[in-house]
Amino acid sequence: NFHLYTGRVCYLFENDKSYALHLPLIWLGNLTGAVLTAQLLMLTRLAPALTARAVLLCETKLSDNLGSSFILAVFCNLLIFIAVDGFKNHEHEIGKYLGLFFGVVAFILCGFEHCVANMFYIPAGMMTASAYGIAAEGLNIGTFILNNLIPATIGNIFGGVIVVGFLYWYLFLREKT
């Protein structure tokens, strides 16, 4: 029952209008929590060790084209839906956690775009680059929002709501007439 945007958005068609109106608040809450967590991480001994990896990850994600980011985000939320729905509906406890584990691990290993994960990783990379004086091309808030956060969010919505969520609702949950 956590309010992770990418999992919640998949169930848009199963819920009423108030659910849809609550989704932007969940997205903003996820953004706030992710950025605050990144800022707190900067106060720990882990910050210097993460610098090179975080900056490289940011440069890779922010230099990608919009179409690529969108497609990778669609695939991400296909796996998120499988993970969340498997956890939600599987009868056996082990099956619940295996579905969740494999769905999440698969999208991470594939390098798919998860807007909430990027809400943490990219600001963390920008903060570490700034804190340690690393010159990194394109690492700024505007590039993050335009080149990654918007296409990743739209792709996650499309993958979770349109591709999987709607088809799932249409095939299994809607009232048959």
Side-chain angles (χ1 to χ4, degrees):
N1 288 325
F2 289 125
H3 291 279
L4 184 64
Y5 178 78
T6 50
R8 293 287 180 151
V9 75
C10 296
Y11 296 97
L12 183 65
F13 287 104
E14 286 185 33
N15 292 284
D16 61 12
K17 186 178 178 180
S18 66
Y19 185 88
L21 296 174
H22 190 66
L23 287 172
L25 182 62
I26 292 172
W27 187 91
L28 286 172
N30 286 185
L31 178 62
T32 302
V35 171
L36 288 174
T37 302
Q39 287 177 327
L40 287 172
L41 185 63
M42 290 301 300
L43 302 173
T44 72
R45 64 179 163 76
L46 299 177
L50 295 175
T51 302
R53 285 189 162 166
V55 171
L56 179 62
L57 177 72
C58 290
E59 287 176 332
T60 300
K61 287 181 174 283
L62 297 181
S63 66
D64 200 4
N65 68 63
L66 299 177
S68 174
S69 294
F70 173 80
I71 291 167
L72 293 172
V74 170
F75 284 127
C76 175
N77 242 39
L78 295 175
L79 291 171
I80 291 297
F81 181 84
I82 291 167
V84 171
D85 204 66
F87 182 83
K88 181 179 170 186
N89 293 314
H90 203 285
E91 296 173 11
H92 303 288
E93 284 298 308
I94 293 174
K96 287 179 176 289
Y97 291 100
L98 283 175
L100 189 63
F101 176 77
F102 287 119
V104 171
V105 168
F107 95 73
I108 292 170
L109 291 177
C110 290
F112 293 157
E113 294 291 334
H114 187 279
C115 67
V116 178
N118 291 351
M119 290 173 183
F120 168 77
Y121 287 116
I122 295 174
M126 290 189 298
M127 286 181 232
T128 56
S130 175
Y132 295 99
I134 298 172
E137 191 172 322
L139 288 188
N140 61 65
I141 193 72
T143 305
F144 166 49
I145 291 169
L146 294 174
N147 287 16
N148 184 273
L149 191 55
I150 291 173
T153 299
I154 293 170
N156 288 158
I157 292 168
F158 190 83
V161 175
I162 306 302
V163 176
V164 179
F166 176 75
L167 289 174
Y168 180 77
W169 170 82
Y170 185 80
L171 294 172
F172 301 109
L173 301 175
R174 71 181 171 94
E175 295 287 328
K176 304 287 186 190
T177 57

